[in-house]
């Protein structure tokens, strides 16, 4: 059935490249204008001596990145932010992992769907509103004191609001759903038959925990930890509201540079230092997870 | 009734060549199968004819009109997909009406045509159902009705029966052939199922590595395969390697005759012989035509027929397919003589 | 083990919900001083109607959320369609570029926007909040619509084109109707993201132009009134309704946790 040839020579590729680009352009141009260019602009600002003005041209300097050397109290603040991150992440793991396990093993069917939805629902509601609610619970003679007093007359936890633990409580409340979600996703993937088999082989609960549940859910635990640690380090609204005078963190210091001190270059440099620290953490964790034999 | 011509079509995806200078003419009103293993380029060729892919080189003509740069929606084709691709949010009737509406046929006229086509595929009465409420075979019929209702110039089918079970597949083959003949529709059918290609087509084109290696009527391609690949992909074949002489081919010291033209004496030749063409005798008595002694290695009994696996003297393994008309006289380990007519020795390219 | 596990879950849920319930109760309590027992009253909600600052902030919040919802859903859906094309080059990079708006702490993106918008003359106010909120919500839209596209049966658009539909017609008459649940889910989500967004709005607000969360923050810091509880309760109720709608359309845990 050979046919005579009626065309030859290469032809231009007629693919939908232009159409695809047109579909992508609005989103990526928008992200460029509203996220990437601002980040680049802030990087530029962080290298200036001051906010440039018509009569006060700013010069380039690396001085802002030396803030931790020049202002030693910032080290103290950074340490408090780190402590806040570690406490919050640790407590979320201790509370959230067992909750995720309970959800994946002890509840079935529609009840599980409903409880799962209930646990993740709060984190899409206003964090601000939820922090506000804690001020009422933790305040002197607030709800917690009243509840405790009802159990044992005269018992109260005085002055919990405006303390470091108050900030941690508020942040754990804010970010616990992340940990439950990521742990649940990895725990739910475990085949129940695997645990039955281990039990059949005589494995006791601690062994099942250490050899099966924990290793398999480790990726979920780690991604939950990253998802919590990063925003907690950058939090400023929770420390301000729940911490009062003790609530000075990297987040609030950065916020101050933009809203009170108007030292934008310093605020920008602090932001990028924090971002770099966070990215470093990501990198180390990612590297560590890649070192593990294929899990 | 129009034909389809493909000329010098090449296509690569990135650095991977998929079609290599393919030319073919699909005759008007005929059903042509594109047969090949996966990765042979058969589906890509179909998608180029449909207009979903643009060839890097070459051209496509439908009814003499060059359509290489015509988009799919203006080519007036009908296509049935392997996954059926019925619109799940529409009823059967709405699915069939979709193409009519796009081609400007509306109202009662469109509905009458849709109903007539549904009757043709024997799905009258199913108009209000949704695709999810139909069986696989019924969905297949809707897909076919949707493709032919607009009166396409050519019908393209991409492995449309591969998702059906064996019995339903055979039933649909008959049905498809009936409808194609009724409408006299130029049809191109992609399949990897050799039996389907043989029973269904007017013409079979075998593809391998982006080229059409052979095409023709099913019997012609089956009886006279031109290459080792064509012989083994379409049906089963024994291959005997030998050396050409003036009279025939010498294979392990025996002269085997053939009806095919031979290359110059002394050059290497491969003969293909279909397993069912070979007779099996316990004595050298039936000595007309080609003979070859062999030892029975295995007998696979399958009721109506048996397959014998044998080893020739030079170690070549052969298959013989015999109807169980008489109880076969051969037994395991026995030395037998294989014999066949010279016309059944086909010279193939290695 | 099972009763213990369930008790733990109940405790966790109590921890998550009791403070919120307290706030809601306070918003509905007649007394301004958290007095118990509760006396149900819509007094504070009624007071909202007379508070011009709150009404204005509510109007601003709804306006920004509506614009964010419409724009982010439209452009995010288009991007998701492009990202789903099999022959797309650079898909990995394009998908990775969606993560910074979600992953970078809002404090950093918010201050970056403040610096950049002030510097370039875009300025602060509702328009720059919209600019920021859309950037924040669009990646979520892509993440919700993308899997919805992937779940569609193959070849539907090809089938429509073979029947004479142009690409735009094929998308409109086949893909879009089937994708609608995902698109609506994404729209609800985008609306909720914008409505609850505080940090970015905070940095882009000007003294006269605020949204509800910014107003609430200011009120908390300057000694709050029970009216704020009522506003917060209303805000909370709105997000819960939006998110339940989202969860229903996208499936529980839709894009994050579906196995």
């Amino acid at each position: 059935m050979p046919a005579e040839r009626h065309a030859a020579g290469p032809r231009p590729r007629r693919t939908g490249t232009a159409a695809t680009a047109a579909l992508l352009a609005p989103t990526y141009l928008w992200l460029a204008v509203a996220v990437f260019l601002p980040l680049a602009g802030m990087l530029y600002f962080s290298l200036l001596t001051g906010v440039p003005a018509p009569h006060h041209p700013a010069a380039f300097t690396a001085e802002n990145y030396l803030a931790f050397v020049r202002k030693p109290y910032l080290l103290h603040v950074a340490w408090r932010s780190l402590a806040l991150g570690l406490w919050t992440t640790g407590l979320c793991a201790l509370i959230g992992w067992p909750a995720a396990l309970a959800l994946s093993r002890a509840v079935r069917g529609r009840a599980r769907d409903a409880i799962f939805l209930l646990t993740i629902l709060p984190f899409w509601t206003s964090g601000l509103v939820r922090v506000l609610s804690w001020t009422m619970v933790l305040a002197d003679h607030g709800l917690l004191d009243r509840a405790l007093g009802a159990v044992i007359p005269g018992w109260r936890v005085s002055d919990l609001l405006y303390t470091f633990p108050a900030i941690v409580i508020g942040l754990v409340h804010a970010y616990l759903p992340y940990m439950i979600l990521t742990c649940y996703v990895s725990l739910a993937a475990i085949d129940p038959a695997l645990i039955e088999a281990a039990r059949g082989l005589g494995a006791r609960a601690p062994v099942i925990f250490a050899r099966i549940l924990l290793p398999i859910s480790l990726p979920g635990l780690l991604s939950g930890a990253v998802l919590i640690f990063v925003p907690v380090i950058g939090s400023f609204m929770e420390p301000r509201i729940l911490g009062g005078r003790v609530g000075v963190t990297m987040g609030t210091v950065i916020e101050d540079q933009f809203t009170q001190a108007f030292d934008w270059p310093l605020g920008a440099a602090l932001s990028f230092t924090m971002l770099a620290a966070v990215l470093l953490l990501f990198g180390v964790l990612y590297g560590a997870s890649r070192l593990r034999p294929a899990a | 009734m129009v034909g389809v011509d493909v000329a010098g079509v090449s296509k690569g995806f990135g650095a991977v060549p998929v079609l290599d200078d393919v030319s073919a003419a699909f005759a008007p009103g005929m059903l042509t199968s594109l047969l090949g293993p996966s990765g042979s380029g058969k589906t890509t060729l179909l998608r180029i004819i449909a207009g979903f892919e643009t060839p890097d080189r070459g051209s496509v003509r439908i009814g003499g009109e060059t359509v290489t740069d015509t988009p799919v929606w203006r080519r007036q084709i009908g296509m049935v997909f392997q996954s059926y691709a019925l619109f799940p949010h529409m009823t059967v009737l709405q699915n069939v009406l979709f193409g009519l509406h796009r081609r400007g046929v509306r109202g009662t006229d469109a509905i009458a045509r849709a109903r007539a086509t549904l009757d043709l595929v024997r799905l009258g009465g199913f108009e209000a159902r949704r695709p999810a409420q139909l069986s696989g075979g019924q969905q297949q019929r809707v897909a076919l009705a949707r493709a032919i209702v607009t009166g396409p110039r050519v019908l393209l089918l991409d492995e449309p029966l591969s998702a059906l079970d064996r019995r339903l597949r055979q039933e649909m083959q008959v049905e498809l052939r009936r409808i194609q003949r009724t409408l006299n529709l130029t049809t191109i059918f992609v399949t990897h199922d050799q039996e389907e290609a043989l029973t269904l087509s007017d013409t079979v084109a075998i593809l391998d590595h982006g080229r059409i290696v052979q095409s023709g009527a099913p019997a012609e391609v089956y009886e006279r395969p031109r290459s080792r690949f064509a012989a083994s992909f379409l049906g089963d074949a024994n291959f005997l390697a030998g050396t050409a002489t003036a009279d025939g081919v010498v294979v392990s010291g025996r002269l085997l005759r053939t009806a095919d033209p031979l290359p110059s004496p002394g050059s290497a030749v491969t003969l293909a012989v279909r397993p069912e063409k070979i007779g099996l005798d316990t004595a050298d008595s039936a000595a007309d035509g080609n003979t070859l002694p062999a030892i029975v290695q295995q007998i696979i009994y399958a009721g109506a027929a048996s397959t014998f696996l044998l080893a020739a003297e030079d170690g070549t393994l052969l298959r013989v397919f015999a109807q169980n008309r008489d109880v076969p006289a051969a037994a395991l380990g026995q030395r037998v003589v294989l014999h066949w007519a010279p016309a059944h020795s086909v010279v193939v390219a290695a | 083990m099972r009763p213990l596990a369930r008790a733990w879950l109940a405790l966790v849920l109590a921890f998550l919900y009791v403070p919120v319930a307290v706030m809601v109760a306070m918003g509905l309590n007649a007394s301004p001083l958290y007095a118990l027992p509760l006396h149900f009253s819509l007094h504070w909600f009624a007071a909202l109607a007379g508070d011009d600052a709150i009404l204005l902030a509510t109007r601003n919040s709804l306006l920004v959320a509506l614009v964010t919802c419409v724009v982010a859903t439209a452009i995010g859906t288009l991007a998701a369609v492009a990202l789903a094309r099999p022959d797309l080059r650079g898909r990995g990079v394009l998908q990775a570029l969606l993560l910074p708006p979600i992953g970078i702490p809002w404090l950093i993106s918010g201050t970056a926007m403040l610096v950049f918008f002030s510097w370039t003359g875009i300025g602060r106010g509702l328009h720059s909040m919209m600019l920021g909120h859309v950037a924040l919500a669009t990646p979520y839209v892509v993440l919700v619509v993308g899997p919805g596209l992937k779940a569609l049966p193959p070849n539907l658009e090809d089938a429509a084109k073979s029947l004479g539909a142009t690409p735009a017609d094929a998308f409109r008459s086949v893909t879009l109707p089937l994708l609608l649940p995902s698109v609506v889910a994404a729209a609800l989500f985008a609306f909720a993201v914008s409505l609850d967004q505080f940090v970015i709005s905070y940095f882009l607000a000007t003294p006269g132009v605020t949204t509800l969360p910014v107003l609430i923050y200011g009120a908390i810091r300057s000694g709050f009134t029970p009216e704020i509880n009522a506003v917060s309760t209303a805000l909370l109720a709105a997000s819960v309704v939006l998110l339940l709608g989202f969860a229903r359309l996208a499936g529980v845990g839709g894009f994050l946790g579906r196995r």
Side-chain angles (χ1 to χ4, degrees):
Chain A
M1 65 158 80
E4 94 275 26
R5 310 191 56 158
H6 39 77
R11 60 176 48 257
R13 289 183 86 85
R14 181 175 55 94
T15 53
T17 311
T20 306
L23 293 174
L24 291 170
T27 287
Y28 287 91
L29 282 178
W30 201 293
L31 291 184
V33 170
V35 176
F36 297 115
L37 283 176
L39 286 174
M42 195 157 76
L43 186 63
Y44 169 71
F45 259 75
S46 73
L47 296 167
L48 296 182
T49 49
V51 179
H55 301 292
H56 296 277
F60 281 106
T61 175
E63 188 66 19
N64 296 313
Y65 284 94
L66 297 173
F68 284 98
V69 182
R70 301 276 192 268
K71 298 173 180 167
Y73 79 92
L74 280 177
L75 286 176
H76 184 66
V77 172
W79 168 246
R80 182 177 298 133
S81 283
L82 188 67
L84 208 55
L86 293 175
W87 270 105
T88 305
T89 310
L91 283 173
C92 281
L94 284 177
I95 299 170
W97 191 86
L101 182 68
L103 186 58
S104 68
R105 294 276 166 265
V107 193
R108 298 255 165 273
R110 292 181 67 89
R112 176 156 67 183
D113 282 353
I115 295 175
F116 179 65
L117 183 59
L118 277 179
T119 52
I120 60 167
L121 188 61
F123 83 11
W124 299 119
T125 61
S126 169
L128 182 66
V129 169
R130 291 192 291 143
V131 167
L132 169 63
S133 71
W134 277 105
T135 62
M136 285 171 237
V137 174
L138 298 178
D140 207 10
H141 297 287
L143 257 288
L144 186 61
D145 282 355
R146 282 159 186 271
L148 292 174
V151 179
I152 303 168
W155 183 25
R156 65 190 196 90
V157 192
S158 52
D159 301 330
L160 193 52
L161 189 59
Y162 307 131
T163 62
F164 187 81
I167 310 174
V168 173
I169 290 173
L171 286 169
V172 169
H173 187 246
Y175 293 105
L176 181 60
Y178 274 124
M179 187 60 86
I180 297 180
L181 175 68
T182 56
C183 288
Y184 174 73
V185 168
S186 53
L187 280 170
I190 299 176
D191 186 351
L194 191 65
I195 293 165
E196 288 308 313
R199 208 168 272 154
L201 293 169
R204 288 168 178 277
V207 177
I208 292 176
F209 169 79
R211 305 295 293 273
I212 299 179
L213 296 178
L214 195 59
I216 294 184
S217 63
L218 200 62
L221 208 55
L222 282 180
S223 56
V226 170
L227 284 174
I228 293 169
F229 190 79
V230 171
V232 165
I233 288 284
S235 64
F236 73 92
M237 171 264 282
E238 296 89 346
R240 279 239 195 275
I241 296 175
L242 296 171
R245 221 169 302 147
V246 304
V248 178
T249 63
M250 286 307 293
T252 63
V253 168
I254 292 171
E255 183 215 345
D256 276 339
Q257 305 313 313
F258 288 96
T259 58
Q260 307 293 324
F262 294 105
D263 191 347
W264 289 7
L266 177 62
L270 292 177
S271 282
F272 276 105
T273 309
M274 200 171 84
L275 193 62
V278 159
L279 288 178
L280 197 69
L281 178 85
F282 266 125
V284 168
L285 271 179
Y286 181 72
S289 71
R290 288 294 290 269
L291 283 179
R292 290 174 54 83
Chain B
M1 251 206 320
V2 299
V4 175
D5 295 279
V6 169
V9 162
S10 296
K11 175 75 178 174
F13 291 111
V16 186
V18 177
L19 288 176
D20 179 14
D21 194 20
V22 170
S23 295
F26 300 90
M30 294 290 167
L31 194 156
T32 305
S33 288
L34 300 177
L35 177 67
S38 61
S40 59
K42 57 190 192 299
T43 294
T44 303
L45 180 57
L46 191 79
R47 289 179 64 82
I48 284 174
I49 295 168
F52 291 120
E53 311 281 354
T54 309
D56 298 335
R57 285 164 174 276
S59 66
V60 177
R61 289 192 306 183
I62 297 178
E65 173 205 346
T66 300
V67 294
T68 319
D69 293 313
T70 308
V72 188
W73 53 95
R74 283 205 285 270
R75 285 199 186 186
Q76 293 178 52
I77 52 144
M79 181 143 174
V80 177
F81 296 82
Q82 189 172 5
S83 57
Y84 314 143
L86 296 178
F87 306 132
H89 59 304
M90 299 182 192
T91 63
V92 167
L93 186 64
Q94 287 168 331
N95 265 281
V96 178
L97 285 172
F98 188 93
L100 288 172
H101 288 169
R102 296 302 176 285
R103 301 214 154 103
V105 186
R106 299 197 164 268
T108 51
D109 191 18
I111 291 174
R113 273 175 72 174
R115 284 186 192 279
T117 309
L118 282 171
D119 285 340
L120 181 68
V121 300
R122 302 183 207 270
L123 264 187
F126 285 81
E127 288 85 350
R129 301 270 190 102
R130 300 256 169 181
Q133 298 169 304
L134 301 177
S135 70
Q138 290 167 336
Q139 292 185 26
Q140 177 65 69
R141 288 161 193 264
V142 177
L144 187 60
R146 186 179 67 175
I148 60 178
V149 71
T150 54
R153 297 189 291 179
V154 52
L155 178 63
L156 308 172
L157 303 114
D158 185 8
E159 308 213 17
L161 307 180
S162 62
L164 302 176
D165 66 43
R166 194 180 148 78
R167 182 181 291 270
L168 204 51
R169 193 159 67 227
Q170 287 172 344
E171 199 182 303
M172 279 306 295
Q173 285 169 5
V174 174
E175 193 80 332
L176 190 62
R177 195 60 165 139
R178 175 182 68 83
I179 293 164
Q180 186 263 337
R181 287 223 167 99
T182 309
L183 300 175
N184 235 335
L185 195 55
T186 309
T187 302
I188 304 174
F189 186 98
V190 162
T191 181
H192 63 261
D193 181 336
Q194 42 140 327
E195 193 186 314
E196 196 164 276
L198 287 174
T199 54
L200 207 54
S201 338
D202 296 305
T203 305
V204 177
I206 300 179
L207 277 91
D208 183 35
H209 289 101
R211 288 174 164 274
I212 292 180
V213 293
Q214 190 172 0
S215 67
E220 179 198 326
V221 177
Y222 182 79
E223 301 293 339
R224 319 264 5 131
R226 280 208 298 264
S227 67
R228 200 179 165 117
F229 176 82
S232 59
F233 193 76
L234 191 69
D236 217 342
N238 295 299
F239 296 105
L240 300 164
T243 313
T245 65
D247 306 322
V249 180
V250 176
V251 176
S252 60
R254 289 191 168 242
L255 180 70
L256 301 178
R257 291 175 196 283
T258 170
D260 289 355
L262 284 164
S264 55
S267 46
V269 174
T270 302
L271 290 179
V273 189
R274 298 286 187 193
E276 78 280 5
K277 312 286 190 199
I278 303 177
L280 189 147
D281 262 309
T282 46
D284 254 324
S285 56
D288 61 324
N290 295 320
T291 60
L292 193 69
I295 310 283
V296 178
Q297 304 259 309
Q298 204 180 333
I299 305 171
I300 302 161
Y301 177 78
S306 291
T307 301
F308 292 79
L309 301 183
L310 309 103
E313 279 166 348
D314 65 348
T316 309
L317 286 174
L318 293 121
R319 271 168 181 280
V320 171
F321 187 73
Q323 298 288 332
N324 289 333
R325 200 176 304 123
D326 316 303
V327 179
L332 276 184
Q334 193 177 351
R335 184 177 183 281
V336 296
V337 176
L338 308 179
H339 56 93
W340 64 92
H344 292 142
S345 298
V346 182
V347 175
V348 295
Chain C
M1 282 304 279
R2 182 158 291 188
L4 196 66
R6 290 185 175 168
W8 185 254
L9 263 183
L11 272 176
V12 167
L13 284 178
F15 171 69
L16 286 175
Y17 282 91
V18 166
V20 180
V22 165
M23 190 196 66
V24 171
M26 289 305 156
L28 294 168
N29 193 5
S31 157
L33 294 167
Y34 319 137
L36 291 174
L38 287 170
H39 292 287
F40 177 78
S41 159
L42 289 175
H43 171 77
W44 303 115
F45 283 89
L48 296 183
D51 189 323
D52 287 342
I54 288 179
L55 286 181
L56 187 64
T58 306
R59 196 201 62 124
N60 288 343
S61 272
L62 290 176
L63 185 67
V64 173
L66 191 67
V67 170
T68 300
C69 167
V70 170
V71 176
T73 306
I75 70 176
T77 300
L78 294 182
V81 167
L83 286 171
R85 293 196 167 177
D87 55 347
L88 182 71
R89 289 187 192 183
R91 190 195 320 273
V93 174
L94 288 169
Q95 281 173 338
L97 284 175
L98 295 172
L99 297 180
I102 300 176
I104 291 180
W106 291 335
L107 172 67
I108 295 179
S109 33
T111 51
M113 286 178 199
L114 169 65
V115 167
F116 183 74
F117 293 167
S118 307
W119 185 38
T120 52
I122 294 172
R124 295 190 273 167
L126 289 186
H127 63 289
S128 51
M129 285 185 201
M130 289 168 187
L131 208 52
H133 286 199
V134 169
L136 206 64
T138 304
Y140 286 115
V141 172
V142 179
L143 289 180
V144 173
V145 174
L149 270 171
K150 220 175 228 171
L152 292 186
N155 289 328
L156 288 186
E157 282 199 16
D158 279 355
K161 285 184 214 163
S162 77
L163 292 165
T166 61
D169 182 14
F171 180 75
R172 191 190 54 75
S173 56
V174 175
T175 307
L176 202 53
L178 293 168
L179 201 58
L180 205 59
S182 301
V183 173
V184 173
L188 293 178
F189 199 85
F191 196 92
V193 163
S194 170
L195 198 62
D196 292 335
Q197 176 56 42
F198 160 67
V199 179
I200 285 172
S201 303
Y202 172 66
F203 287 110
L204 298 177
T206 57
V209 184
T210 62
T211 60
L212 271 186
V214 178
L215 183 95
I216 293 171
Y217 181 69
I220 296 170
R221 298 201 67 195
S222 61
F224 54 88
T225 65
E227 280 162 52
I228 292 303
N229 289 347
V231 179
S232 301
T233 300
L235 191 60
L236 203 66
S239 352
V240 167
V241 168
L242 287 168
L243 293 164
L244 284 179
F246 162 76
R248 184 168 176 78
L249 287 166
V252 179
F255 64 102
L256 284 168
R258 204 71 173 165
R259 267 174 298 156

